[in-house]
Amino acid sequence: QVQLVQSGAEVKMPGASVKVSCKASGYTFTSYDIHWVRQATGQGLECMGWINPNSGNTGYAQKFQGRITMTRNTSISTASMELSSLRSEDTAVYYCARVTGSIAAAEYFDSWGQGTLITVSS
Amino acid sequence: SYELTQPPSVSVSPGQTASITCSGDKLGDKYASWYQQSPGQSPVLVIYQDGKRPSGIPERFSGSNSGNTATLTISGTQAMDEADYYCQAWDSRSHVVFGGGTKLTVL
């Protein structure tokens, strides 16, 4: 079955960087885009961007441009998201999610990672 | 930027029908998906492409999308359906957009 397993929770100082990984199994890693979505406590879902594991092409939400980097390692079926210059407002649960669907602009997230809590605090 | 608007909360009695709306400009011209999120859990897809149910999702979940509004309908609502629900679509620039979420209370 499709599984996305994320790295564990981390506590970071303001100004630091964090890298969250997402290991895929149960399907061909390079066949589906991976998106990263975050959720602050008590808040809604916020899209951060995506990566195409086959080409390595990425797309980032404007809000995160300049301090987010998404990468992938196809040899270990793992996508990663690095966020730099962390501030307290970045405290949230970060999810990776697989996008599927054969119709353009009709894709949907059919599998999600378990989430990774990133706490930014001095 | 494209926005999807959901009511913050909806209440329903057990066994009754719950309807959760999601509004956006000409949303009916796009495809809508819905996700259920229980406390402390990851979101789960319950409806995709307006009205299709993934395998394993009960038949009581259905969806529709027309005009400016997509609707998630839960028939015969059960206590286990109490959760947050999010709608999702893609804007004209191929960006993912989520609604703000609706807390469904079954009381």
Side-chain angles (χ1 to χ4, degrees), chain B residues 21-95:
Chain B
T21 58
C22 174
S23 299
D25 185 48
K26 298 180 181 178
L27 180 56
D29 292 342
K30 307 178 188 296
Y31 284 102
S33 299
W34 291 90
Y35 303 85
Q36 176 193 65
Q37 187 180 34
S38 298
Q41 302 297 311
S42 302
V44 172
L45 177 71
V46 294
I47 292 289
Y48 67 98
Q49 291 175 6
D50 294 340
K52 298 179 180 178
R53 264 181 302 105
S55 60
I57 300 302
E59 290 184 8
R60 63 180 180 274
F61 287 86
S62 63
S64 62
N65 186 15
S66 180
N68 294 321
T69 304
T71 303
L72 172 69
T73 302
I74 309 172
S75 304
T77 307
Q78 300 182 9
M80 67 173 66
D81 300 328
E82 188 164 286
D84 295 328
Y85 290 85
Y86 294 89
C87 60
Q88 173 256 313
W90 298 75
D91 70 11
S92 58
R93 294 162 57 207
S94 299
H95 294 155

Side-chain angles (χ1 to χ4, degrees), chain A residues 35 37 39 43-47 50 60 62 95 99 101-110 112-115, chain B residues 30-31 33 35 37 40-45 48-49 52 84 86 88 90-91 93-100:
Chain A
H35 285 237
V37 178
Q39 184 174 39
Q43 302 301 306
L45 302 171
E46 179 178 31
C47 297
W50 56 269
Y60 304 141
Q62 189 168 8
Y95 295 100
V99 167
S102 57
I103 305 173
E107 296 96 337
Y108 47 92
F109 300 104
D110 69 336
W112 295 68
Q114 82 276 22
Chain B
K30 307 178 188 296
Y31 284 102
S33 299
Y35 303 85
Q37 187 180 34
Q41 302 297 311
S42 302
V44 172
L45 177 71
Y48 67 98
Q49 291 175 6
K52 298 179 180 178
D84 295 328
Y86 294 89
Q88 173 256 313
W90 298 75
D91 70 11
R93 294 162 57 207
S94 299
H95 294 155
V96 175
V97 180
F98 284 104

Side-chain angles (χ1 to χ4, degrees), chain A residues 53-90:
Chain A
N54 185 45
S55 64
N57 289 344
T58 56
Y60 304 141
Q62 189 168 8
K63 175 178 180 177
F64 301 101
Q65 291 273 3
R67 66 183 191 110
I68 191 170
T69 304
M70 294 180 187
T71 57
R72 93 292 191 210
N73 184 332
T74 57
S75 67
I76 56 172
S77 300
T78 298
S80 298
M81 183 281 299
E82 183 170 19
L83 190 62
S84 63
S85 303
L86 290 170
R87 36 214 188 224
S88 58
E89 310 89 88
D90 294 318

